[in-house]
Amino acid sequence: MNEIVEFIRKSPKAELHLHIEGTLEPDLLFKLAKKNKIRIPFSNTEEIKSAYNFKNLESFLKIFYQGSSVLIKEQDFFDLTWAYVLKCKEDNIVHTEIFFDPQTHISRGIDFDVVINGIYKALEKGNKEFGLTFGIIMCFLRHLDELSAFKMLDRANEHKDKIIGVGLDSSEIGHPPKKFERVFKKAIENGFLTVAHAGEEGPPEYIWEALNLLKVKRIDHGVQCLKDSKLVEKLRNDQIPLTVCPLSNIKLCVFKELKQHNLKKMLNEKLMVMVNSDDPAYFGGYLNKNLIESQNALNFSIENIKTLLINSFKSSFLNDEKKIKWIKKFD
Ligand code: ADE
Ligand code: ZN
């Protein structure tokens, strides 16, 4: 195995942009569909694989929400999350901050507690069994309205011991961050950390709004920022983390191929970027694969990889003591 691949595999990592529903692998999807008697429009893995060809974010979300419909019981959310916890162990992810989308489940009559408890129990087991630390971030679906988001915030308030922050995901274009300004203000007042997807497909203006109106601590994706030099200056000066997801961007046609991805340019601009897997079951790879394929396509040096991995810890919501502990391992 070449030296740099070995370095990637062996190094500790933090993952900061991962939708737990996006880790639903076809085998578990079939198993749960059968158990819960949910009809899905595929009869085998081959059919699923050919359906996982997306032309943009919107075309992916349709399949993604359909897949999530097999999740019914607390045990299903536990099994889903536990499978991801095992991937963390395999990829040497020592800290993860994961998203979940309660509105996707509530709209199907699944109770909020069923969702959060299943996810939380699996992460706690991972923590007890091999020390994986974690945070859970509840995302609002931006294609839904403000009132629905406020209702979710009320439910999240009942689970402050489990949920560290709120985020914003789903269809970006046509749903600017400003639509959720009041919800985010209340979330911050309630003590939640905040992040938002912005500049995945949408314009730099959405990144400005996420920073200025939603007051987020991190931007999820943010790859459109290079179109606006003032924005790049702001992101660099304030070292705002951008949680980049290379394989996701290729699968959703944000860039044609990995060689054309702007991650190296962002790194050269001294932006606070790191690599994440987003929805690995749909986009063809977990964190190590994202790192290895990006390194290969963009010719990253070991120093570049070190920077990306150190950035993953710096940008996390771990306390300073824990951040320093992990960053020291790269000396
Ligand atoms: N939900 C799951 N994955 C997403 C992505 N990449 N962008 C926006 N919403 C999402
Ligand atoms: Zn995402």
Side-chain angles (χ1 to χ4, degrees), residues 83-99:
Y84 169 65
V85 166
L86 295 179
K87 296 282 186 187
C88 288
K89 189 162 180 242
E90 205 176 306
D91 277 9
N92 213 355
I93 296 169
V94 296
H95 177 72
T96 186
E97 290 169 15
I98 69 167
F99 300 131

Side-chain angles (χ1 to χ4, degrees), residues 99-299:
F99 300 131
F100 77 111
D101 284 343
Q103 285 150 305
T104 304
H105 311 300
I106 298 244
S107 64
R108 301 181 289 111
I110 315 296
D111 190 63
F112 192 100
D113 293 8
V114 163
V115 181
I116 188 67
N117 290 337
I119 294 171
Y120 184 78
K121 284 178 188 172
L123 290 166
E124 273 283 284
K125 182 171 152 83
N127 178 263
K128 286 211 179 74
E129 291 193 8
F130 34 87
L132 174 72
T133 53
F134 64 88
I136 302 178
I137 298 172
M138 177 185 80
C139 280
F140 303 115
L141 298 180
R142 67 203 303 160
H143 67 273
L144 300 180
D145 61 19
E146 188 195 36
L147 179 64
S148 172
F150 270 122
K151 285 186 186 157
M152 284 311 103
L153 185 56
D154 283 343
R155 297 305 313 268
N157 277 321
E158 298 164 24
H159 294 276
K160 276 276 214 20
D161 54 331
K162 305 180 195 77
I163 300 171
I164 59 163
V166 301
L168 188 63
D169 67 1
S170 188
S171 320
E172 187 180 13
I173 293 171
H175 301 285
K178 68 168 178 271
K179 185 173 160 187
F180 297 94
E181 186 177 355
R182 296 193 302 180
V183 182
F184 272 64
K185 185 167 184 286
K186 187 160 178 223
I188 292 169
E189 284 165 9
N190 292 168
F192 290 104
L193 297 160
T194 56
V195 299
H197 283 55
E200 177 182 12
E201 287 181 341
E205 182 54 35
Y206 285 15
I207 302 177
W208 282 114
E209 281 186 18
L211 295 171
N212 294 335
L213 305 181
L214 306 190
K215 318 255 183 244
V216 296
K217 299 247 185 287
R218 289 199 298 245
I219 296 287
D220 294 312
H221 293 293
V223 291
Q224 303 298 333
C225 70
L226 295 187
K227 292 176 176 160
D228 178 340
S229 57
K230 283 231 162 64
L231 177 59
V232 171
E233 204 181 313
K234 157 100 179 150
L235 294 169
R236 178 175 43 243
N237 288 344
D238 296 353
Q239 288 290 283
I240 307 280
L242 305 166
T243 64
V244 176
C245 307
L247 291 179
S248 161
N249 292 152
I250 305 311
K251 275 297 232 180
L252 302 188
C253 306
V254 176
F255 300 95
K256 223 168 163 197
E257 51 180 356
L258 264 184
K259 279 188 192 315
Q260 291 170 14
H261 198 287
N262 64 5
L263 178 59
K264 196 160 193 176
K265 289 197 193 88
M266 294 169 97
L267 207 51
N268 290 340
E269 289 280 0
K270 304 271 181 260
L271 296 177
M272 181 52 68
V273 286
M274 85 301 302
V275 169
N276 305 272
S277 69
D278 207 6
D279 301 285
Y282 293 87
F283 300 151
Y286 288 78
L287 185 50
N288 279 358
K289 194 162 181 213
N290 270 270
L291 283 158
I292 291 165
E293 294 204 359
S294 301
Q295 188 281 324
N296 196 24
L298 300 171
N299 202 17

